[in-house]
Amino acid sequence: SQQGEEDPQALSIQEGENATMNCSYKTSINNLQWYRQNSGRGLVHLILIRSNEREKHSGRLRVTLDTSKKSSSLLITASRAADTASYFCATDNYGQNFVFGPGTRLSVLP
Amino acid sequence: NAGVTQTPKFQVLKTGQSMTLQCAQDMNHNSMYWYRQDPGMGLRLIYYSASEGTTDKGEVPNGYNVSRLNKREFSLRLESAAPSQTSVYFCASSDWAQNIQYFGAGTRLSVL
């Protein structure tokens, strides 16, 4: 069974718009991470948010975490064509291993 | 700065053939992982090694074996390949401090 589930499965936006992706999980976590995967490539770590944090920023990325709802969101502001990729959330469950969701495919149209 | 290196990048096997996927990392990480990625399924953990000398099963270990050869290298072996093992395989490594995973470029395997 998968711990993280991203929503939506696919998202198409225009360049300059904001993109929001959501992740829900089922059990207690130590931290939650977001990764990006460009087509045909390995995953690249974007940002980590710990269970005692509610919001974190990194450049154009903003991540929120609501442990009471067991959910997280990733906001990409002022999106660019180069942001076109699949985005995955992964939960780290206190020393048990990561569980990745199926991902959100983001297309940013020029 | 190589990071995580996987070989080969592509492989085509016939049903019943065997092969070993190689993975090496140069970041002095303790933990290493093998995942498979199928369309619409995200990544599923096959095996992992929390430290040199230890290996454990993940979510989908059947049909695979692993060897943690040393701290740098972690190999995945398919003893008798089946079409259901057609997938993209990723190796990753992480340190114990933050548990951020660093991925290789993947091996695209087709079993006919």
Side-chain angles (χ1 to χ4, degrees):
Chain A
S1 62
Q2 290 182 336
Q3 170 78 313
E5 293 281 343
E6 294 90 349
D7 171 59
Q9 291 185 354
L11 179 62
S12 287
I13 59 173
Q14 297 293 131
E15 233 175 356
E17 293 181 338
N18 295 342
T20 300
M21 288 157 268
N22 303 298
C23 171
S24 59
Y25 58 92
K26 296 176 181 174
T27 63
S28 296
I29 60 171
N30 182 35
N31 64 61
L32 185 144
Q33 303 184 26
W34 286 90
Y35 288 78
R36 183 187 72 223
Q37 184 181 34
N38 290 93
S39 181
R41 303 286 187 92
L43 278 71
V44 174
H45 179 261
L46 293 176
I47 194 165
L48 178 154
I49 186 165
R50 301 193 185 283
S51 59
N52 61 353
E53 297 176 312
R54 291 298 167 258
E55 187 171 312
K56 202 160 184 181
H57 296 255
S58 177
R60 294 184 295 112
L61 305 181
R62 172 177 169 256
V63 169
T64 61
L65 179 64
D66 187 335
T67 53
S68 66
K69 295 181 179 178
K70 292 187 170 58
S71 67
S72 173
S73 68
L74 171 66
L75 169 67
I76 304 174
T77 60
S79 62
R80 306 166 182 168
D83 295 327
T84 294
S86 291
Y87 292 82
F88 296 87
C89 69
T91 52
D92 175 9
N93 308 329
Y94 294 101
Q96 298 178 30
N97 284 291
F98 273 44
V99 181
F100 287 83
T104 293
R105 294 186 309 279
L106 174 65
S107 297
V108 181
L109 308 174
Chain B
N1 199 4
V4 179
T5 303
Q6 289 183 238
T7 56
K9 287 184 169 40
F10 302 93
Q11 185 71 49
V12 178
L13 293 177
K14 294 181 180 178
T15 296
Q17 287 186 318
S18 62
M19 78 162 295
T20 300
L21 282 65
Q22 307 286 354
C23 175
Q25 53 93 8
D26 62 3
M27 295 173 283
N28 202 35
H29 286 165
N30 290 296
S31 300
M32 297 186 73
Y33 309 82
W34 276 105
Y35 294 92
R36 60 177 288 173
Q37 185 177 34
D38 301 299
M41 295 289 291
L43 274 75
R44 291 184 292 171
L45 182 65
I46 304 171
Y47 271 93
Y48 67 97
S49 171
S51 62
E52 186 179 353
T54 69
T55 61
D56 286 286
K57 296 178 180 179
E59 182 184 355
V60 289
N62 291 344
Y64 305 95
N65 285 301
V66 291
S67 295
R68 183 74 183 266
L69 304 170
N70 47 55
K71 192 171 186 179
R72 290 187 65 248
E73 298 173 288
F74 189 37
S75 63
L76 178 72
R77 183 159 178 85
L78 287 70
E79 291 291 350
S80 179
S84 61
Q85 294 178 305
T86 293
S87 190
V88 181
Y89 291 84
F90 288 100
C91 176
S93 69
S94 68
D95 62 31
W96 288 341
Q98 286 207 324
N99 211 13
I100 291 172
Q101 301 211 345
Y102 296 83
F103 284 81
T107 295
R108 282 143 190 82
L109 175 66
S110 293
V111 183
L112 307 177

